[in-house]
PDB file of all heavy atoms in Angstrom:
ATOM      1  N   LEU B  70     -11.774 -56.425  -2.895  1.00 95.00           N
ATOM      2  CA  LEU B  70     -12.082 -55.890  -1.561  1.00 95.00           C
ATOM      3  C   LEU B  70     -13.525 -56.165  -1.149  1.00 95.00           C
ATOM      4  O   LEU B  70     -14.285 -55.253  -0.785  1.00 95.00           O
ATOM      5  CB  LEU B  70     -11.795 -54.384  -1.496  1.00 95.00           C
ATOM      6  CG  LEU B  70     -10.395 -53.942  -1.920  1.00 95.00           C
ATOM      7  CD1 LEU B  70     -10.253 -52.423  -1.742  1.00 95.00           C
ATOM      8  CD2 LEU B  70      -9.307 -54.670  -1.156  1.00 95.00           C
ATOM      9  N   PHE B  71     -13.923 -57.438  -1.212  1.00 96.00           N
ATOM     10  CA  PHE B  71     -15.242 -57.780  -0.709  1.00 96.00           C
ATOM     11  C   PHE B  71     -15.269 -59.213  -0.218  1.00 96.00           C
ATOM     12  O   PHE B  71     -14.379 -60.020  -0.508  1.00 96.00           O
ATOM     13  CB  PHE B  71     -16.329 -57.544  -1.767  1.00 96.00           C
ATOM     14  CG  PHE B  71     -16.425 -58.630  -2.799  1.00 96.00           C
ATOM     15  CD1 PHE B  71     -17.253 -59.731  -2.612  1.00 96.00           C
ATOM     16  CD2 PHE B  71     -15.700 -58.537  -3.980  1.00 96.00           C
ATOM     17  CE1 PHE B  71     -17.339 -60.719  -3.565  1.00 96.00           C
ATOM     18  CE2 PHE B  71     -15.790 -59.526  -4.936  1.00 96.00           C
ATOM     19  CZ  PHE B  71     -16.607 -60.625  -4.731  1.00 96.00           C
ATOM     20  N   SER B  72     -16.341 -59.484   0.522  1.00 98.00           N
ATOM     21  CA  SER B  72     -16.589 -60.826   1.022  1.00 98.00           C
ATOM     22  C   SER B  72     -18.084 -61.100   0.920  1.00 98.00           C
ATOM     23  O   SER B  72     -18.903 -60.175   0.929  1.00 98.00           O
ATOM     24  CB  SER B  72     -16.150 -60.945   2.483  1.00 98.00           C
ATOM     25  OG  SER B  72     -16.531 -62.193   3.036  1.00 98.00           O
ATOM     26  N   ILE B  73     -18.440 -62.378   0.805  1.00 98.00           N
ATOM     27  CA  ILE B  73     -19.844 -62.768   0.859  1.00 98.00           C
ATOM     28  C   ILE B  73     -20.026 -63.834   1.921  1.00 98.00           C
ATOM     29  O   ILE B  73     -19.113 -64.613   2.218  1.00 98.00           O
ATOM     30  CB  ILE B  73     -20.365 -63.277  -0.498  1.00 98.00           C
ATOM     31  CG1 ILE B  73     -19.579 -64.495  -0.975  1.00 98.00           C
ATOM     32  CG2 ILE B  73     -20.360 -62.167  -1.526  1.00 98.00           C
ATOM     33  CD1 ILE B  73     -20.185 -65.140  -2.194  1.00 98.00           C
ATOM     34  N   LEU B  74     -21.219 -63.800   2.502  1.00 98.00           N
ATOM     35  CA  LEU B  74     -21.643 -64.819   3.453  1.00 98.00           C
ATOM     36  C   LEU B  74     -22.883 -65.485   2.865  1.00 98.00           C
ATOM     37  O   LEU B  74     -23.862 -64.806   2.566  1.00 98.00           O
ATOM     38  CB  LEU B  74     -21.983 -64.193   4.803  1.00 98.00           C
ATOM     39  CG  LEU B  74     -22.555 -65.131   5.873  1.00 98.00           C
ATOM     40  CD1 LEU B  74     -21.506 -66.122   6.337  1.00 98.00           C
ATOM     41  CD2 LEU B  74     -23.080 -64.329   7.072  1.00 98.00           C
ATOM     42  N   ASN B  75     -22.810 -66.787   2.654  1.00 98.00           N
ATOM     43  CA  ASN B  75     -23.942 -67.549   2.121  1.00 98.00           C
ATOM     44  C   ASN B  75     -24.583 -68.379   3.212  1.00 98.00           C
ATOM     45  O   ASN B  75     -23.891 -68.995   4.036  1.00 98.00           O
ATOM     46  CB  ASN B  75     -23.473 -68.509   1.021  1.00 98.00           C
ATOM     47  CG  ASN B  75     -23.280 -67.814  -0.305  1.00 98.00           C
ATOM     48  OD1 ASN B  75     -24.083 -66.969  -0.691  1.00 98.00           O
ATOM     49  ND2 ASN B  75     -22.232 -68.158  -1.007  1.00 98.00           N
ATOM     50  N   ILE B  76     -25.899 -68.408   3.196  1.00 98.00           N
ATOM     51  CA  ILE B  76     -26.639 -69.297   4.082  1.00 98.00           C
ATOM     52  C   ILE B  76     -27.602 -70.094   3.213  1.00 98.00           C
ATOM     53  O   ILE B  76     -28.464 -69.523   2.536  1.00 98.00           O
ATOM     54  CB  ILE B  76     -27.435 -68.526   5.157  1.00 98.00           C
ATOM     55  CG1 ILE B  76     -26.531 -67.538   5.891  1.00 98.00           C
ATOM     56  CG2 ILE B  76     -28.066 -69.506   6.157  1.00 98.00           C
ATOM     57  CD1 ILE B  76     -27.274 -66.643   6.885  1.00 98.00           C
ATOM     58  N   THR B  77     -27.448 -71.410   3.207  1.00 98.00           N
ATOM     59  CA  THR B  77     -28.336 -72.260   2.411  1.00 98.00           C
ATOM     60  C   THR B  77     -29.425 -72.844   3.307  1.00 98.00           C
ATOM     61  O   THR B  77     -29.257 -72.930   4.537  1.00 98.00           O
ATOM     62  CB  THR B  77     -27.558 -73.407   1.758  1.00 98.00           C
ATOM     63  OG1 THR B  77     -26.930 -74.179   2.800  1.00 98.00           O
ATOM     64  CG2 THR B  77     -26.484 -72.878   0.820  1.00 98.00           C
ATOM     65  N   ALA B  78     -30.538 -73.218   2.689  1.00 98.00           N
ATOM     66  CA  ALA B  78     -31.649 -73.858   3.411  1.00 98.00           C
ATOM     67  C   ALA B  78     -31.956 -73.126   4.705  1.00 98.00           C
ATOM     68  O   ALA B  78     -31.930 -73.696   5.800  1.00 98.00           O
ATOM     69  CB  ALA B  78     -31.330 -75.321   3.676  1.00 98.00           C
ATOM     70  N   THR B  79     -32.246 -71.831   4.590  1.00 98.00           N
ATOM     71  CA  THR B  79     -32.423 -70.996   5.782  1.00 98.00           C
ATOM     72  C   THR B  79     -33.518 -71.531   6.701  1.00 98.00           C
ATOM     73  O   THR B  79     -34.493 -72.148   6.259  1.00 98.00           O
ATOM     74  CB  THR B  79     -32.767 -69.556   5.388  1.00 98.00           C
ATOM     75  OG1 THR B  79     -33.866 -69.565   4.478  1.00 98.00           O
ATOM     76  CG2 THR B  79     -31.579 -68.849   4.778  1.00 98.00           C
ATOM     77  N   GLN B  80     -33.329 -71.247   7.991  1.00 97.00           N
ATOM     78  CA  GLN B  80     -34.281 -71.637   9.034  1.00 97.00           C
ATOM     79  C   GLN B  80     -34.654 -70.390   9.823  1.00 97.00           C
ATOM     80  O   GLN B  80     -33.922 -69.391   9.802  1.00 97.00           O
ATOM     81  CB  GLN B  80     -33.642 -72.677   9.960  1.00 97.00           C
ATOM     82  CG  GLN B  80     -33.169 -73.917   9.243  1.00 97.00           C
ATOM     83  CD  GLN B  80     -32.340 -74.827  10.140  1.00 97.00           C
ATOM     84  OE1 GLN B  80     -32.066 -74.501  11.301  1.00 97.00           O
ATOM     85  NE2 GLN B  80     -31.938 -75.974   9.600  1.00 97.00           N
ATOM     86  N   THR B  81     -35.764 -70.454  10.568  1.00 97.00           N
ATOM     87  CA  THR B  81     -36.171 -69.268  11.338  1.00 97.00           C
ATOM     88  C   THR B  81     -35.106 -68.874  12.362  1.00 97.00           C
ATOM     89  O   THR B  81     -34.945 -67.698  12.684  1.00 97.00           O
ATOM     90  CB  THR B  81     -37.500 -69.522  12.063  1.00 97.00           C
ATOM     91  OG1 THR B  81     -37.392 -70.696  12.864  1.00 97.00           O
ATOM     92  CG2 THR B  81     -38.642 -69.707  11.058  1.00 97.00           C
ATOM     93  N   GLY B  82     -34.335 -69.841  12.821  1.00 96.00           N
ATOM     94  CA  GLY B  82     -33.257 -69.545  13.764  1.00 96.00           C
ATOM     95  C   GLY B  82     -32.101 -68.762  13.163  1.00 96.00           C
ATOM     96  O   GLY B  82     -31.229 -68.285  13.896  1.00 96.00           O
ATOM     97  N   ASP B  83     -32.100 -68.621  11.848  1.00 98.00           N
ATOM     98  CA  ASP B  83     -31.064 -67.800  11.196  1.00 98.00           C
ATOM     99  C   ASP B  83     -31.411 -66.324  11.255  1.00 98.00           C
ATOM    100  O   ASP B  83     -30.575 -65.473  10.913  1.00 98.00           O
ATOM    101  CB  ASP B  83     -30.894 -68.217   9.733  1.00 98.00           C
ATOM    102  CG  ASP B  83     -30.366 -69.638   9.589  1.00 98.00           C
ATOM    103  OD1 ASP B  83     -29.564 -70.064  10.437  1.00 98.00           O
ATOM    104  OD2 ASP B  83     -30.771 -70.318   8.618  1.00 98.00           O
ATOM    105  N   SER B  84     -32.625 -65.983  11.662  1.00 98.00           N
ATOM    106  CA  SER B  84     -33.026 -64.571  11.757  1.00 98.00           C
ATOM    107  C   SER B  84     -32.126 -63.858  12.760  1.00 98.00           C
ATOM    108  O   SER B  84     -32.022 -64.262  13.923  1.00 98.00           O
ATOM    109  CB  SER B  84     -34.488 -64.458  12.205  1.00 98.00           C
ATOM    110  OG  SER B  84     -35.355 -65.006  11.247  1.00 98.00           O
ATOM    111  N   ALA B  85     -31.483 -62.801  12.304  1.00 97.00           N
ATOM    112  CA  ALA B  85     -30.495 -62.095  13.128  1.00 97.00           C
ATOM    113  C   ALA B  85     -29.957 -60.920  12.325  1.00 97.00           C
ATOM    114  O   ALA B  85     -30.283 -60.752  11.150  1.00 97.00           O
ATOM    115  CB  ALA B  85     -29.347 -63.020  13.516  1.00 97.00           C
ATOM    116  N   VAL B  86     -29.097 -60.149  12.977  1.00 96.00           N
ATOM    117  CA  VAL B  86     -28.294 -59.143  12.269  1.00 96.00           C
ATOM    118  C   VAL B  86     -26.932 -59.775  12.010  1.00 96.00           C
ATOM    119  O   VAL B  86     -26.312 -60.321  12.925  1.00 96.00           O
ATOM    120  CB  VAL B  86     -28.130 -57.859  13.104  1.00 96.00           C
ATOM    121  CG1 VAL B  86     -27.232 -56.870  12.374  1.00 96.00           C
ATOM    122  CG2 VAL B  86     -29.488 -57.238  13.395  1.00 96.00           C
ATOM    123  N   TYR B  87     -26.477 -59.703  10.777  1.00 97.00           N
ATOM    124  CA  TYR B  87     -25.168 -60.246  10.421  1.00 97.00           C
ATOM    125  C   TYR B  87     -24.212 -59.076  10.214  1.00 97.00           C
ATOM    126  O   TYR B  87     -24.451 -58.185   9.412  1.00 97.00           O
ATOM    127  CB  TYR B  87     -25.268 -61.128   9.179  1.00 97.00           C
ATOM    128  CG  TYR B  87     -25.994 -62.411   9.495  1.00 97.00           C
ATOM    129  CD1 TYR B  87     -27.387 -62.457   9.477  1.00 97.00           C
ATOM    130  CD2 TYR B  87     -25.302 -63.563   9.862  1.00 97.00           C
ATOM    131  CE1 TYR B  87     -28.067 -63.623   9.808  1.00 97.00           C
ATOM    132  CE2 TYR B  87     -25.977 -64.728  10.204  1.00 97.00           C
ATOM    133  CZ  TYR B  87     -27.350 -64.749  10.175  1.00 97.00           C
ATOM    134  OH  TYR B  87     -28.016 -65.895  10.518  1.00 97.00           O
ATOM    135  N   LEU B  88     -23.139 -59.102  10.980  1.00 97.00           N
ATOM    136  CA  LEU B  88     -22.171 -58.008  10.984  1.00 97.00           C
ATOM    137  C   LEU B  88     -20.877 -58.450  10.315  1.00 97.00           C
ATOM    138  O   LEU B  88     -20.375 -59.546  10.573  1.00 97.00           O
ATOM    139  CB  LEU B  88     -21.860 -57.591  12.428  1.00 97.00           C
ATOM    140  CG  LEU B  88     -23.026 -57.036  13.236  1.00 97.00           C
ATOM    141  CD1 LEU B  88     -22.663 -56.977  14.716  1.00 97.00           C
ATOM    142  CD2 LEU B  88     -23.412 -55.656  12.748  1.00 97.00           C
ATOM    143  N   CYS B  89     -20.360 -57.569   9.492  1.00 97.00           N
ATOM    144  CA  CYS B  89     -19.063 -57.773   8.856  1.00 97.00           C
ATOM    145  C   CYS B  89     -18.091 -56.754   9.452  1.00 97.00           C
ATOM    146  O   CYS B  89     -18.465 -55.590   9.696  1.00 97.00           O
ATOM    147  CB  CYS B  89     -19.204 -57.549   7.345  1.00 97.00           C
ATOM    148  SG  CYS B  89     -17.660 -57.575   6.434  1.00 97.00           S
ATOM    149  N   ALA B  90     -16.860 -57.158   9.707  1.00 96.00           N
ATOM    150  CA  ALA B  90     -15.857 -56.243  10.263  1.00 96.00           C
ATOM    151  C   ALA B  90     -14.505 -56.537   9.632  1.00 96.00           C
ATOM    152  O   ALA B  90     -14.206 -57.686   9.303  1.00 96.00           O
ATOM    153  CB  ALA B  90     -15.767 -56.405  11.777  1.00 96.00           C
ATOM    154  N   VAL B  91     -13.703 -55.491   9.474  1.00 94.00           N
ATOM    155  CA  VAL B  91     -12.336 -55.689   8.999  1.00 94.00           C
ATOM    156  C   VAL B  91     -11.371 -55.299  10.100  1.00 94.00           C
ATOM    157  O   VAL B  91     -11.610 -54.360  10.861  1.00 94.00           O
ATOM    158  CB  VAL B  91     -12.028 -54.903   7.715  1.00 94.00           C
ATOM    159  CG1 VAL B  91     -12.792 -55.498   6.553  1.00 94.00           C
ATOM    160  CG2 VAL B  91     -12.302 -53.439   7.864  1.00 94.00           C
ATOM    161  N   GLU B  92     -10.269 -56.022  10.162  1.00 89.00           N
ATOM    162  CA  GLU B  92      -9.257 -55.783  11.172  1.00 89.00           C
ATOM    163  C   GLU B  92      -8.090 -55.026  10.565  1.00 89.00           C
ATOM    164  O   GLU B  92      -7.533 -55.432   9.537  1.00 89.00           O
ATOM    165  CB  GLU B  92      -8.776 -57.102  11.765  1.00 89.00           C
ATOM    166  CG  GLU B  92      -7.740 -56.923  12.858  1.00 89.00           C
ATOM    167  CD  GLU B  92      -7.209 -58.240  13.386  1.00 89.00           C
ATOM    168  OE1 GLU B  92      -7.609 -59.298  12.879  1.00 89.00           O
ATOM    169  OE2 GLU B  92      -6.374 -58.207  14.302  1.00 89.00           O
ATOM    170  N   ASN B  93      -7.713 -53.947  11.231  1.00 84.00           N
ATOM    171  CA  ASN B  93      -6.534 -53.158  10.866  1.00 84.00           C
ATOM    172  C   ASN B  93      -5.389 -53.647  11.742  1.00 84.00           C
ATOM    173  O   ASN B  93      -5.497 -53.670  12.957  1.00 84.00           O
ATOM    174  CB  ASN B  93      -6.836 -51.678  11.124  1.00 84.00           C
ATOM    175  CG  ASN B  93      -5.716 -50.772  10.683  1.00 84.00           C
ATOM    176  OD1 ASN B  93      -4.544 -51.081  10.855  1.00 84.00           O
ATOM    177  ND2 ASN B  93      -6.080 -49.642  10.109  1.00 84.00           N
ATOM    178  N   ALA B  94      -4.299 -54.050  11.120  1.00 76.00           N
ATOM    179  CA  ALA B  94      -3.235 -54.736  11.845  1.00 76.00           C
ATOM    180  C   ALA B  94      -2.292 -53.786  12.548  1.00 76.00           C
ATOM    181  O   ALA B  94      -1.164 -53.602  12.131  1.00 76.00           O
ATOM    182  CB  ALA B  94      -2.466 -55.621  10.891  1.00 76.00           C
ATOM    183  N   GLU B  95      -2.755 -53.173  13.634  1.00 68.00           N
ATOM    184  CA  GLU B  95      -1.835 -52.424  14.474  1.00 68.00           C
ATOM    185  C   GLU B  95      -0.981 -53.406  15.251  1.00 68.00           C
ATOM    186  O   GLU B  95      -1.443 -54.443  15.672  1.00 68.00           O
ATOM    187  CB  GLU B  95      -2.617 -51.566  15.484  1.00 68.00           C
ATOM    188  CG  GLU B  95      -3.203 -50.323  14.906  1.00 68.00           C
ATOM    189  CD  GLU B  95      -3.688 -49.385  15.991  1.00 68.00           C
ATOM    190  OE1 GLU B  95      -3.296 -49.559  17.153  1.00 68.00           O
ATOM    191  OE2 GLU B  95      -4.454 -48.481  15.655  1.00 68.00           O
ATOM    192  N   ARG B  96       0.253 -53.040  15.478  1.00 60.00           N
ATOM    193  CA  ARG B  96       1.145 -53.961  16.189  1.00 60.00           C
ATOM    194  C   ARG B  96       1.729 -53.300  17.421  1.00 60.00           C
ATOM    195  O   ARG B  96       2.049 -52.128  17.424  1.00 60.00           O
ATOM    196  CB  ARG B  96       2.284 -54.407  15.278  1.00 60.00           C
ATOM    197  CG  ARG B  96       1.812 -55.360  14.225  1.00 60.00           C
ATOM    198  CD  ARG B  96       2.955 -56.155  13.625  1.00 60.00           C
ATOM    199  NE  ARG B  96       2.434 -57.178  12.743  1.00 60.00           N
ATOM    200  CZ  ARG B  96       2.139 -58.398  13.145  1.00 60.00           C
ATOM    201  NH1 ARG B  96       2.317 -58.742  14.396  1.00 60.00           N
ATOM    202  NH2 ARG B  96       1.659 -59.280  12.311  1.00 60.00           N
ATOM    203  N   ALA B  97       1.857 -54.067  18.483  1.00 53.00           N
ATOM    204  CA  ALA B  97       2.528 -53.622  19.694  1.00 53.00           C
ATOM    205  C   ALA B  97       3.634 -54.633  19.961  1.00 53.00           C
ATOM    206  O   ALA B  97       3.347 -55.745  20.386  1.00 53.00           O
ATOM    207  CB  ALA B  97       1.557 -53.565  20.865  1.00 53.00           C
ATOM    208  N   GLY B  98       4.843 -54.274  19.650  1.00 53.00           N
ATOM    209  CA  GLY B  98       5.922 -55.239  19.766  1.00 53.00           C
ATOM    210  C   GLY B  98       5.723 -56.329  18.735  1.00 53.00           C
ATOM    211  O   GLY B  98       5.528 -56.064  17.564  1.00 53.00           O
ATOM    212  N   GLY B  99       5.705 -57.562  19.139  1.00 53.00           N
ATOM    213  CA  GLY B  99       5.519 -58.659  18.201  1.00 53.00           C
ATOM    214  C   GLY B  99       4.102 -59.164  18.155  1.00 53.00           C
ATOM    215  O   GLY B  99       3.814 -60.189  17.545  1.00 53.00           O
ATOM    216  N   THR B 100       3.182 -58.444  18.783  1.00 56.00           N
ATOM    217  CA  THR B 100       1.819 -58.952  18.918  1.00 56.00           C
ATOM    218  C   THR B 100       0.850 -58.002  18.261  1.00 56.00           C
ATOM    219  O   THR B 100       0.969 -56.792  18.388  1.00 56.00           O
ATOM    220  CB  THR B 100       1.459 -59.092  20.400  1.00 56.00           C
ATOM    221  OG1 THR B 100       2.457 -59.884  21.027  1.00 56.00           O
ATOM    222  CG2 THR B 100       0.113 -59.747  20.569  1.00 56.00           C
ATOM    223  N   SER B 101      -0.122 -58.546  17.547  1.00 56.00           N
ATOM    224  CA  SER B 101      -1.125 -57.729  16.876  1.00 56.00           C
ATOM    225  C   SER B 101      -2.373 -57.610  17.732  1.00 56.00           C
ATOM    226  O   SER B 101      -2.901 -58.599  18.207  1.00 56.00           O
ATOM    227  CB  SER B 101      -1.490 -58.355  15.528  1.00 56.00           C
ATOM    228  OG  SER B 101      -2.574 -57.671  14.953  1.00 56.00           O
ATOM    229  N   TYR B 102      -2.848 -56.402  17.930  1.00 65.00           N
ATOM    230  CA  TYR B 102      -4.104 -56.157  18.643  1.00 65.00           C
ATOM    231  C   TYR B 102      -5.013 -55.359  17.747  1.00 65.00           C
ATOM    232  O   TYR B 102      -5.453 -54.279  18.075  1.00 65.00           O
ATOM    233  CB  TYR B 102      -3.827 -55.388  19.936  1.00 65.00           C
ATOM    234  CG  TYR B 102      -3.021 -56.172  20.939  1.00 65.00           C
ATOM    235  CD1 TYR B 102      -1.658 -56.016  21.022  1.00 65.00           C
ATOM    236  CD2 TYR B 102      -3.643 -57.081  21.779  1.00 65.00           C
ATOM    237  CE1 TYR B 102      -0.925 -56.734  21.939  1.00 65.00           C
ATOM    238  CE2 TYR B 102      -2.922 -57.801  22.701  1.00 65.00           C
ATOM    239  CZ  TYR B 102      -1.551 -57.626  22.778  1.00 65.00           C
ATOM    240  OH  TYR B 102      -0.843 -58.338  23.691  1.00 65.00           O
ATOM    241  N   GLY B 103      -5.327 -55.905  16.569  1.00 71.00           N
ATOM    242  CA  GLY B 103      -5.970 -55.146  15.522  1.00 71.00           C
ATOM    243  C   GLY B 103      -7.297 -54.530  15.895  1.00 71.00           C
ATOM    244  O   GLY B 103      -8.137 -55.120  16.548  1.00 71.00           O
TER     245      GLY B 103
END
Side-chain angles (χ1 to χ4, degrees):
Chain B
L70 306 182
F71 79 90
S72 173
I73 60 172
L74 175 68
N75 280 319
I76 308 175
T77 59
T79 52
Q80 302 171 357
T81 55
D83 295 326
S84 295
V86 177
Y87 289 84
L88 297 167
C89 173
V91 290
E92 182 183 2
N93 184 321
E95 282 193 16
R96 288 199 173 269
T100 306
S101 173
Y102 294 96

